[in-house]
């Protein structure tokens, strides 16, 4: 991730070296001015060093500006790449990853934790480089100026290091607690906002407030502890500095009284010390900052360590291009979700021929949605294979596979964009005419025209502007535009009332015409039209046949059908 940035880093360090050189020279000029101009009261001795000092100050300022701006540019670019890298990675992770991590916590990792690293990268790059070079230069100048005073100063330097060491373990644990608490607070806020209707309808405001308070208190404690540690560290460092300054003045006074040193030399040395301490202090502080940032880095690494469940086949291993006819074969497929013991699918086998419609039904938890995830290749099966026109799904590049197998998911997925963009995402670059045709096929054109800005009306998943049925018809239009040979419909009528559900039957029929369709549903109204019905129980096929054959069989299907009818009739 640092590709292309390293040579800029060298430029930053170069600026730092030059800046430190300029400042060291200025301090030496100060000593010179004190002894020759100030003590002798000679204006003649003033002009030349003063002019040199001013020139050094201007050059030093220009170098400081260049180095400072450049180092921020380098480190911010690094952080931007880091953010993109983590985000790209997150987008490839399997669905169960998101079910097992709270969304708010992921959000906090992608924002807050990246920021913690950003602080370290910015301060790290500027801080370490400039502090290190400055410390070395000023130390060298100090020895050159007054070796005995310098020796006394450096004899006390390990005190800074000891103080930093003492604090670093505490800082790390507090930083980790703070980051975790931050993730928890974001999660609670995010979950509460998502559940606002439930909260208000059932008067759960107090319970939600308590939930937030628990997390906010943890965050508050971590913040206060962190501030306390930093304060204590800062104050201890000041005391150590005072000890050093007093030691230098003591030795200086003694040397002046012995006639071994001038006042100018002592003042120049004291000025040098005031330049030397900040870099030493910031080096120690940097240690604390890095320690705190590692807590954020660990949380990001946890995300980066999560592996995508599937990957693209090797280059060159792709099957021939060309639109498949749409034969779907599920061959002895078994699957369990990573990290669980439950077998979601157990030796499943069936074939769907091009253009056939197969309904997959069964009790809750039977493995129906899991099958749809395998068909879209969100996961690969543990054993067995899924094939499209005889080619295993994992031989297709993922992007191409998802062009051939279109999903109409259970939840209506909406982009925060216009109606047009929401349909067009079925086939990026589709013409307005094609988008309107798809909307007509999905019976969506008329209601879209009735919206305030027609096709340019913005939709939002949380806004009440579109009903569930209308959103579903938008999703159908998107699938029509995608024009995939294979369709996977996961509970297309879930959440819709009887009228809205009936309203999408015709658009669905039009969408399914001529395509291989696997419809996962509890709603068996469409079953008489299907070429076949497959009943899944505990991840296995227990019944298969046409609707009327299965009804006559009087088994699970007949039971499901009757209970559905009774529910619909309100019995
Ligand atoms: N992300 C997951 N991680 C672990 N186990 C899961 C996950 N999703 C589903 N399962 C388990 O896999 C099995 C099959 O679930 P699946 O969602 O496929 O059932 P389903 O037939 O679609 O149920 P429903 O009709 O209620 O949607 C169940 O035992 C379920 O608990």
């Amino acid at each position: 991730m640092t590709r292309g940035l390293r040579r800029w880093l060298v430029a930053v360090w170069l600026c730092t070296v030059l800046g430190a050189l300029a400042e060291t020279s200025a301090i030496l000029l100060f000593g010179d001015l004190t002894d020759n101009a100030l003590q002798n009261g000679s204006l003649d001795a003033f002009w030349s060093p003063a002019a040199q000092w001013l020139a050094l100050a201007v050059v030093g300022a220009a170098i400081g500006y260049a180095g400072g701006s450049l180092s921020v540019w380098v480190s911010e670019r690094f952080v931007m790449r880091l953010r993109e890298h983590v985000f790209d990675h997150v987008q490839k992770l399997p669905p169960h990853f998101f079910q097992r991590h709270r969304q708010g916590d992921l959000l906090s990792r992608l924002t807050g934790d990246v920021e913690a690293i950003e602080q370290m990268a910015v301060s790290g790059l500027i801080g370490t480089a400039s502090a290190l070079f400055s410390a070395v230069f000023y130390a060298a100048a100090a020895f050159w100026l007054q070796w005995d005073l310098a020796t006394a100063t450096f004899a006390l330097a390990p005190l800074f290091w000891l103080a930093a060491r003492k604090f670093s373990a505490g800082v790390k644990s507090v930083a980790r607690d703070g980051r975790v608490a931050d993730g928890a607070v974001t999660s609670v806020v995010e979950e509460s906002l998502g559940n606002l209707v439930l909260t208000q309808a059932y008067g759960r405001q107090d319970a939600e407030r308590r939930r937030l308070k628990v997390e906010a208190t943890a965050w508050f404690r971590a913040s206060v502890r962190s501030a306390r540690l930093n304060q204590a560290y800062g104050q201890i460092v000041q005391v150590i500095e005072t000890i050093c300054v007093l030691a230098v003045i003591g030795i200086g006074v003694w040397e002046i009284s012995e006639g071994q040193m001038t006042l100018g030399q002592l003042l120049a040395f004291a000025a040098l010390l005031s330049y030397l301490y900040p870099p030493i202090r910031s080096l120690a502080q940097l240690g604390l900052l890095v320690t705190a940032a590692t807590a954020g880095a660990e949380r990001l690494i946890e995300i980066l360590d999560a592996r995508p469940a599937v990957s693209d086949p090797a280059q060159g291993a792709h099957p021939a291009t060309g639109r498949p006819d749409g034969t779907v074969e599920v061959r002895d497929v078994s699957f369990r979700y990573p990290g669980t013991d439950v077998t979601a699918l157990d030796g499943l086998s069936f074939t769907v021929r091009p253009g056939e419609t197969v309904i997959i039904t069964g009790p809750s938890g039977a493995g129906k949605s899991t099958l749809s995830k395998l068909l879209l290749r969100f996961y690969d099966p543990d054993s067995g294979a899924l094939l499209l026109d005889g080619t295993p799904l994992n031989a297709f590049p993922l992007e191409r596979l998802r062009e051939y197998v279109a999903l109409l998911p259970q939840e209506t997925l909406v982009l925060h964009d216009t109606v047009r963009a929401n349909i067009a995402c079925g086939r990026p670059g589709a013409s307005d005419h094609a988008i309107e045709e798809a909307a007509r096929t999905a019976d969506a054109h008329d209601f879209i025209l009735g919206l305030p800005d027609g096709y340019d009306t913005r939709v939002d998943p949380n806004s009440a502007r579109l009903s569930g049925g209308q959103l579903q018809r938008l999703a159908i239009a998107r699938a029509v535009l995608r024009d995939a040979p294979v369709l996977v419909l996961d509970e297309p009528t879930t959440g819709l009332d009887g009228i809205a559900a009936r309203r999408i039957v015709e658009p669905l029929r039009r969408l399914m015409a001529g395509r291989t369709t696997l419809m996962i549903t509890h709603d068996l109204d469409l079953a008489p039209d299907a070429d076949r019905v497959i009943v899944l129980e505990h991840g296995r096929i227990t019944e298969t046949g046409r609707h009327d054959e299965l009804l006559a069989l009087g088994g699970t299907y007949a039971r499901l059908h009757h209970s559905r009818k009774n529910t619909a009739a309100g019995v």
Side-chain angles (χ1 to χ4, degrees), residues 96 99-100 337 340 342 344 363-370 373 522:
H96 72 267
Q99 286 158 357
R100 291 175 197 174
Y337 284 92
T340 66
V342 187
S364 192
K368 306 182 294 294
S369 297
T370 306
K373 286 180 194 145
H522 286 111

Side-chain angles (χ1 to χ4, degrees), residues 221-571:
R221 287 211 182 104
S223 305
V224 171
R225 264 183 29 230
S226 154
R228 243 196 251 146
L229 277 176
N230 278 318
Q231 269 298 322
Y233 174 75
Q235 301 306 332
I236 285 178
V237 162
Q238 276 214 331
V239 172
I240 298 175
E241 276 180 25
T242 311
I243 296 174
C244 290
V245 168
L246 286 176
V248 165
I249 294 178
I251 298 173
V253 168
W254 177 73
E255 290 204 8
I256 289 175
S257 70
E258 294 284 306
Q260 290 170 5
M261 192 192 288
T262 64
L263 180 64
Q265 284 169 329
L266 179 63
L267 286 182
F269 191 84
L272 203 62
L273 275 195
S274 70
Y275 277 89
L276 181 61
Y277 283 144
I280 291 186
R281 202 186 309 150
S282 64
L283 275 179
Q285 191 95 42
L286 197 79
L288 296 191
L289 201 71
V290 171
T291 316
T294 39
E298 278 169 10
R299 281 163 50 85
L300 276 191
I301 288 168
E302 227 176 84
I303 295 188
L304 290 174
D305 276 350
R307 303 273 30 105
V310 294
S311 53
D312 262 333
Q315 289 282 332
H318 302 168
T321 46
R323 189 182 155 89
D325 296 333
T327 306
V328 173
E329 187 185 350
V330 175
R331 197 185 282 166
D332 200 17
V333 161
S334 294
F335 176 74
R336 63 176 59 165
Y337 284 92
T340 66
D341 293 335
V342 187
T343 304
L345 294 177
D346 188 4
L348 204 65
S349 291
F350 64 89
T351 303
V352 189
R353 285 183 295 279
E356 264 191 334
T357 296
V358 168
I359 285 196
I360 297 171
T361 192
S364 192
K368 306 182 294 294
S369 297
T370 306
L371 177 63
S372 77
K373 286 180 194 145
L374 263 55
L375 284 165
L376 264 292
R377 219 180 150 229
F378 287 124
Y379 297 99
D380 283 330
D382 296 333
S383 62
L386 292 101
L387 305 102
L388 175 60
D389 280 13
T391 305
L393 297 191
N394 59 12
F396 291 93
L398 272 179
E399 210 174 306
R400 186 129 48 91
L401 175 70
R402 288 170 188 170
E403 271 171 31
Y404 296 154
V405 183
L407 172 73
L408 204 69
Q410 199 160 1
E411 63 278 22
T412 20
L413 304 175
V414 179
L415 303 177
H416 291 254
D417 208 329
T418 59
V419 168
R420 188 189 311 282
N422 263 284
I423 300 177
C425 83
R427 179 151 46 92
S431 68
D432 283 355
H433 177 72
I435 292 172
E436 272 191 39
E437 275 307 302
R440 278 182 216 278
T441 311
D443 274 356
H445 182 69
D446 290 342
F447 87 74
I448 293 173
L449 289 188
L451 294 172
D453 296 315
Y455 279 85
D456 293 319
T457 310
R458 292 191 75 81
V459 281
D460 178 325
N462 301 317
S463 83
R465 182 168 275 165
L466 296 179
S467 70
Q470 289 172 330
L471 286 174
Q472 191 60 308
R473 276 181 273 155
L474 275 194
I476 293 175
R478 186 187 294 158
V480 169
L481 198 61
R482 192 141 189 98
D483 193 22
V486 180
L487 268 180
V488 178
L489 311 179
D490 192 354
E491 302 282 7
T493 55
T494 292
L496 301 183
D497 60 31
I499 298 172
R502 274 196 295 283
R503 192 83 182 73
I504 68 160
V505 167
E506 268 317 305
L508 272 182
R509 281 205 179 107
R510 277 180 235 134
L511 169 66
M512 286 152 54
R515 301 176 212 277
T516 309
T517 307
L518 290 99
M519 187 193 294
I520 291 160
T521 186
H522 286 111
D523 181 357
L524 301 176
D525 283 352
L526 285 165
D529 293 353
D531 296 295
R532 203 156 13 120
V533 175
I534 291 177
V535 180
L536 274 189
E537 285 177 272
H538 304 296
R540 293 163 168 273
I541 297 180
T542 50
E543 291 172 18
T544 173
R546 289 191 60 89
H547 164 76
D548 35 8
E549 292 167 0
L550 292 187
L551 272 190
L553 198 69
T556 307
Y557 182 77
R559 230 181 13 260
L560 286 171
H561 189 258
H562 286 133
S563 71
R564 246 342 258 199
K565 274 183 82 170
N566 288 344
T567 318
V571 178

Side-chain angles (χ1 to χ4, degrees), residues 69-108:
S69 317
L70 199 60
S71 62
V72 171
W73 182 85
V74 172
S75 46
E76 292 293 355
R77 261 201 102 73
F78 169 76
V79 170
M80 195 166 81
R81 284 188 193 172
L82 176 69
R83 211 188 283 272
E84 281 170 7
H85 180 68
V86 180
F87 189 65
D88 280 353
H89 181 75
V90 166
Q91 298 216 72
K92 291 188 199 127
L93 293 179
H96 72 267
F97 178 84
F98 300 95
Q99 286 158 357
R100 291 175 197 174
H101 283 82
R102 297 165 86 183
Q103 232 177 57
D105 188 55
L106 288 177
L107 213 62
S108 142

Side-chain angles (χ1 to χ4, degrees), residues 35-287:
D35 281 342
N36 301 329
L38 278 177
Q39 277 202 320
N40 300 336
S42 157
L43 200 58
D44 288 344
F46 168 76
W47 293 113
S48 164
Q52 289 176 39
W53 194 348
L54 184 64
L56 275 175
V58 171
V59 172
I63 293 172
Y65 172 78
S69 317
L70 199 60
S71 62
V72 171
W73 182 85
V74 172
S75 46
E76 292 293 355
R77 261 201 102 73
F78 169 76
V79 170
M80 195 166 81
R81 284 188 193 172
L82 176 69
R83 211 188 283 272
E84 281 170 7
H85 180 68
V86 180
F87 189 65
D88 280 353
H89 181 75
V90 166
Q91 298 216 72
K92 291 188 199 127
L93 293 179
H96 72 267
F97 178 84
F98 300 95
Q99 286 158 357
R100 291 175 197 174
H101 283 82
R102 297 165 86 183
Q103 232 177 57
D105 188 55
L106 288 177
L107 213 62
S108 142
R109 288 178 199 226
L110 279 169
T111 52
D113 289 326
V114 172
E115 261 159 37
I117 294 176
E118 173 177 14
Q119 270 186 8
M120 182 197 72
V122 175
S123 317
L125 286 176
I126 306 171
T128 328
S130 80
L132 210 64
F133 282 117
S134 309
V136 168
F137 271 108
Y138 298 137
F143 273 104
W144 181 70
L145 208 59
Q146 295 294 326
W147 67 267
D148 40 1
L149 288 186
T151 312
T153 310
F154 283 100
L156 294 170
L159 286 178
F160 289 101
W161 178 75
L162 276 178
R165 228 180 104 95
K166 184 111 196 74
F167 279 85
S168 75
V171 165
K172 180 161 184 190
S173 102
V174 150
R176 194 183 298 126
D177 292 352
R179 297 306 318 141
V180 170
D182 186 59
V185 169
T186 318
S187 297
V188 172
V189 170
E190 199 253 348
E191 288 156 11
S192 296
L193 290 180
N195 257 341
L196 214 59
V197 174
L198 182 69
T199 305
Q200 292 180 352
Y202 284 81
R204 282 185 41 80
Q205 286 92 336
D206 277 347
E208 290 296 312
R209 192 179 305 125
R210 275 196 301 277
R211 230 155 65 86
L212 182 67
K213 185 147 190 210
V214 170
E215 308 298 1
T217 308
W219 178 80
F220 167 79
R221 287 211 182 104
S223 305
V224 171
R225 264 183 29 230
S226 154
R228 243 196 251 146
L229 277 176
N230 278 318
Q231 269 298 322
Y233 174 75
Q235 301 306 332
I236 285 178
V237 162
Q238 276 214 331
V239 172
I240 298 175
E241 276 180 25
T242 311
I243 296 174
C244 290
V245 168
L246 286 176
V248 165
I249 294 178
I251 298 173
V253 168
W254 177 73
E255 290 204 8
I256 289 175
S257 70
E258 294 284 306
Q260 290 170 5
M261 192 192 288
T262 64
L263 180 64
Q265 284 169 329
L266 179 63
L267 286 182
F269 191 84
L272 203 62
L273 275 195
S274 70
Y275 277 89
L276 181 61
Y277 283 144
I280 291 186
R281 202 186 309 150
S282 64
L283 275 179
Q285 191 95 42
L286 197 79

